[in-house]
Amino acid sequence: MTTTSKARIGLIGLGTMGANLSLNIAEKGFPIAVFNRTTATTDNFIEAAGELKSQLTACKTLQELVDVIEPPRSIILMVPAGQTVDDQIAALRPLLDDDDMIIDAGNANFHDTDRRAAQAVSDGVPFLGIGVSGGEEGARHGPSIMGGGPKPAWNRVSDVLEAISAKYQGTPCATWMGEGGAGHFVKAVHNGIEYADMQMIAEVYGIMRDGMNMEAAAIGEVFSDWNTRTLQSYLVEISGKVAAATDPKTNSPMLDMILDRAGQKGTGRWTVIEAQHLAAPIPVIEAAVAARNMSSQLTNRIEGQEIFGPAPQKLADGAISIPELETALIGGKILCYAQGFELIVAASREFGWALPLPEIARVWREGCIIRSTMLNDMASALADNPDRNLMFAPFFSDHLKNSQAALRKVVTVATANGLPAPSLAAGLSYFDVMRTARSTANMIQAQRDFFGAHGFERIDGGSDHHGPWGSGAA
Ligand code: 6PG
C-alpha cells in the first residue's frame, strides 16, 4: 500500500476499462483504491498514473483493498462479464460488512444482474449493476452511465458516478434506471441500437463502395459532411475517420485492408433474444445482429459467390444520389430508435420497472457509443409523450414523411442490384407495416382457425368466431 488516507471508493479489475475508469475517478477528486489479480498490472498502472498517483491506493490483496476504503464501502467490479463476476463477488463478499456495496460495472447480462441483485436483497447487502458506455475514451473522460439497483444504494455513489460521467451541456449523463437489472437492460438495448446504427452505416458504405464505385477517402468525406447536420453522431464521425485512414504498411485505404468478418461479444444478441421473449418487434436490430453473424460466415459467402456468381452491384449513373443515401439513413435511424424505445417500454411493463424513457435518451446524448444530436430531439419527444411510438411523435413523423421516399428508393435500388441492405430494408418494412391500418393478418387468423379452431374476431364485432371451413372450403 502506498497511502494512509482512506479511499472513497474501490475498484477491482485494471483492464483497459477499469484502469481508465479509475483514472477518471481519481481525476475528479475521489481517492480510489485499486486491485488487480495480477499485481504487475497494478504496478504498471500506478507507474503510468502520473500526477494522479496521489489519489490512488494500490492494493496487493482484497483484504488490503477492503481495509483502505472508508466504510460503508463501495467497490466497483470491472471484470469480464459472466462467471468471473460471480467468482469475484464470492471472494469479496465475506470480507465486507453488511452495508458495504458491490457495484458491477461490466457488460453483464441483465438476467445475471437480476439474479445477483435478488441474492443481495436476500443477504441484506447493497448491490448495483451499472451499464457503462463509451469505450476506452469514455471510461477515461466521461462515459454514459445507466444505473440499476436499490435507489438508496445508487444515491450513495451518485456523486461519484455523476462527476465521472459525460456531460451534455452541463447535465451529467448518469441516471438511475430502476431496480435489479434495469441499468444493464438499458445498456443492452443501447448495444442493440449500436449494432443497428453501425450496420446501417455499413450498408450505405457498401452502396457507395460497390454500387457507386467510390474510393474509401471519398466515402470518408461524405460521412464527415453528414456529420455536420441531422446525422451528427459519434458513429458517423468515426466512420468518416476510418474511411479516411491509410494503411501504413501498404499505403492503401485502411478500410480496404480489413477482413469483412465482424466480431461481437454478444450484447446485441441479448437484446434480440429479450425482444423475442417480450414479443417486441425490433427488426432493424435483429437484421443487424443477423448481418454480423452472416459476416462471420466468410467461407460460405465465398462458396455462394462461386456458385451463384457475384450480384450485379454496379448502379447506373445517378441511380441513387448521395443526398438520397443521407436521407434514407436518417429514416432508418429513426425507425431503429423507435423500435429500441418500444422494447424498453415492453420490458418496463413486463419486469415492473418504470424505465424513464426521456432520461434514457438524455443519458445517451453524450459519452456513449450511440451519442448523437438526434437523441436530444428524441429526449424532447419522449418527454412530451413517453407512451407514443417515437415514429409518431410530430418531429419524427415529419422526418419520416420527408425521408420515406429516399429510404424506399435506396432499399429497392440496392435490392434490385444485389447490394445487401438488410437493416435499412427491415426499417422500411417496419414503416410500411406500422402505417398500414388494414394488414394481412386476417389470413393468418383464418388459417389458424382452419387448422386449429383458434377462433377469430370479426370486423363487424364479436370474438371467438369460427369459419365455415368444413362447408365452404375448397
Ligand atoms: C459501449 C460498447 C461496449 C461494447 C463494445 C464491443 O457502449 O461502450 O457497447 O460496451 O462492448 O462496443 O461490443 P461488441 O464486441 O459486441 O461489438
Side-chain angles (χ1 to χ4, degrees), residues 9-10 12 62 65-66 72-79 84-105 113 116-117 120 123 125-130 148-150 153-154 156-157 184:
I9 199 162
I12 297 176
L62 283 180
L65 180 84
V66 170
R73 302 170 182 86
S74 301
I75 300 178
I76 298 174
L77 304 187
M78 242 334 181
V79 298
T84 315
V85 175
D86 291 308
D87 295 345
Q88 195 60 70
I89 292 173
L92 181 62
R93 197 69 246 179
L95 309 180
L96 297 178
D97 296 331
D98 280 355
D99 56 354
D100 289 343
M101 174 160 69
I102 295 179
I103 304 168
D104 177 15
T113 305
R116 291 170 189 138
D123 294 346
V125 295
F127 175 79
L128 287 178
I130 63 172
W154 168 265
R156 265 173 58 175
V157 284
H184 277 137

Side-chain angles (χ1 to χ4, degrees), residues 340-391:
F341 281 110
E342 286 291 286
L343 170 59
I344 291 172
V345 170
S348 203
R349 235 177 256 140
E350 176 72 17
F351 301 120
W353 293 323
L355 294 173
L357 262 65
E359 273 308 309
I360 293 170
R362 284 188 198 115
V363 295
W364 287 350
R365 288 179 303 188
E366 264 307 334
C368 67
I369 302 294
I370 63 171
R371 61 187 182 258
S372 71
T373 302
M374 213 188 265
L375 271 162
N376 192 40
D377 300 317
M378 291 181 185
S380 306
L382 291 166
D384 263 6
N385 186 351
D387 298 325
R388 180 182 48 198
N389 186 319
L390 201 59
M391 68 182 279

Side-chain angles (χ1 to χ4, degrees), residues 111-245:
H111 288 298
D112 285 339
T113 305
D114 263 344
R115 171 177 56 76
R116 291 170 189 138
Q119 184 64 48
V121 168
S122 92
D123 294 346
V125 295
F127 175 79
L128 287 178
I130 63 172
V132 177
S133 174
E136 297 172 23
E137 267 302 294
R140 178 65 186 85
H141 298 293
S144 164
I145 298 176
M146 296 143 259
K151 186 76 194 292
W154 168 265
N155 290 342
R156 265 173 58 175
V157 284
S158 59
D159 60 334
V160 179
L161 298 175
E162 286 177 3
I164 64 166
S165 75
K167 309 288 179 298
Y168 180 85
Q169 295 177 359
T171 306
C173 295
T175 296
W176 178 76
M177 298 295 170
E179 301 286 331
H184 277 137
F185 175 79
V186 173
K187 174 63 170 50
V189 178
H190 166 284
N191 278 36
I193 292 174
E194 172 185 308
Y195 275 46
D197 244 343
M198 293 165 74
Q199 173 63 23
M200 288 188 287
I201 292 171
E203 289 173 12
V204 295
Y205 157 69
I207 293 170
M208 286 189 269
R209 184 190 68 183
D210 302 325
M212 301 163 93
N213 220 4
M214 289 170 62
E215 297 292 340
I219 295 173
E221 280 169 27
V222 169
F223 285 136
S224 301
D225 179 42
W226 291 355
N227 196 44
T228 61
R229 37 187 184 266
T230 312
L231 283 172
Q232 188 288 321
S233 63
Y234 174 69
L235 285 169
V236 168
E237 179 193 337
I238 64 165
S239 302
K241 288 182 176 161
V242 298

Side-chain angles (χ1 to χ4, degrees), residues 282-285 287 335 339 411 421-431:
I282 55 163
V284 176
I285 299 172
L335 293 161
Q339 294 168 17
V411 169
S423 276
L424 288 171
L428 179 62
S429 294
Y430 178 81
F431 174 79

